[in-house]
Amino acid sequence: MSQQPVVIGFDLDMTLLDTRRGIAATWRALTERTGVHVDADLAASRLGPPLRQEMSEWFPSERIEEAVGIYRSLYPDHAIAPSNALPGAEQALDAVRRVPARIAVITSKLGRLAELHLAHLGISVDKVYGDVFHAGKAQVLQDIGAALYVGDHVADMQAAALAGIPAFGVTSGPCSAEDLRAAGATVVFEDLRPFPAFLNGVISVGRAVSGD
């Protein structure tokens, strides 16, 4: 039996937490501060990629870094309180603890902002890895020896595939079940409620096994 602790990775936005209302509020505050119009609801509907990618849809290149800094300064006051756990999130984390396994949150959001969300909701995890996306997430998954990654974006599924581990996809984010499967998802569900039963099938005696 492996002596290394089993680690399960989770994305944050629209996988564990519904952050859309708070993020939309932050985008509106950014528009007020900068005078640059952002369709806040549209921006909040396509969470997953790094902030600078979305920022480039609204700001000229020479203003992106300034806008990112302002957005992040506004975020704690606007985005944290309106967010809530998605259906099945708490049960999914409890299932990981019962394995027992360690919980890693791996997100494109800055780690300190992800930690604010988790602290506000009283959600305890073992480690947060922030400011990573796609291949960056895959590298973290490999570095920590993750057995499984859970996410809502095609890039999450691809990150798991690059890391050579199963991926549990949820359609609570911007991507369809078909897109998640095409990107390499082992299974896809509407939310995390089926996760505990799935986890029982992929973790056996402290080791990752086939998800089939």
Side-chain angles (χ1 to χ4, degrees), residues 47 133-134 151-161 170 174-185:
L47 301 178
F133 184 66
H134 196 257
D152 65 281
H153 198 277
V154 294
D156 298 329
M157 306 300 100
Q158 291 164 349
V170 288
C175 300
S176 69
E178 292 75 15
D179 288 342
L180 294 173
R181 289 190 188 96

Side-chain angles (χ1 to χ4, degrees), residues 113-137:
L113 300 180
E115 288 168 354
L116 288 176
H117 277 293
L118 295 168
H120 178 74
L121 293 170
I123 296 174
S124 174
V125 302
D126 294 290
K127 186 73 174 177
V128 174
Y129 299 88
D131 202 20
V132 287
F133 184 66
H134 196 257
K137 288 189 175 187

Side-chain angles (χ1 to χ4, degrees), residues 5-169:
V6 176
V7 182
I8 308 297
F10 288 84
D11 183 38
L12 187 75
D13 295 300
M14 302 314 301
T15 298
L16 288 173
L17 308 184
D18 186 345
T19 54
R20 289 172 297 187
R21 282 195 304 134
I23 286 175
T26 307
W27 283 110
R28 292 186 187 100
L30 181 68
T31 289
E32 272 189 41
R33 179 73 66 86
T34 63
V36 175
H37 171 71
V38 175
D39 185 330
D41 292 327
L42 176 59
S45 74
R46 49 193 186 194
L47 301 178
L51 175 60
R52 286 176 179 82
Q53 181 172 322
E54 183 64 40
M55 203 67 76
S56 69
E57 298 290 328
W58 312 102
F59 286 82
S61 59
E62 66 273 13
R63 293 197 64 187
I64 288 176
E65 291 307 310
E66 171 200 5
V68 165
I70 295 171
Y71 176 95
R72 286 175 171 163
S73 72
L74 294 166
Y75 195 97
D77 289 337
H78 294 83
I80 304 301
S83 299
N84 56 272
L86 282 161
E90 294 177 12
Q91 294 87 343
L93 298 178
D94 286 343
V96 175
R97 296 184 187 106
R98 286 195 299 270
V99 168
R102 295 172 63 82
I103 300 166
V105 167
I106 306 167
T107 174
S108 63
K109 189 184 300 300
L110 285 185
R112 64 177 175 83
L113 300 180
E115 288 168 354
L116 288 176
H117 277 293
L118 295 168
H120 178 74
L121 293 170
I123 296 174
S124 174
V125 302
D126 294 290
K127 186 73 174 177
V128 174
Y129 299 88
D131 202 20
V132 287
F133 184 66
H134 196 257
K137 288 189 175 187
Q139 187 62 58
V140 171
L141 291 166
Q142 290 179 320
D143 290 346
I144 65 177
L148 171 69
Y149 190 50
V150 184
D152 65 281
H153 198 277
V154 294
D156 298 329
M157 306 300 100
Q158 291 164 349
L162 287 170
I165 61 174
F168 184 103

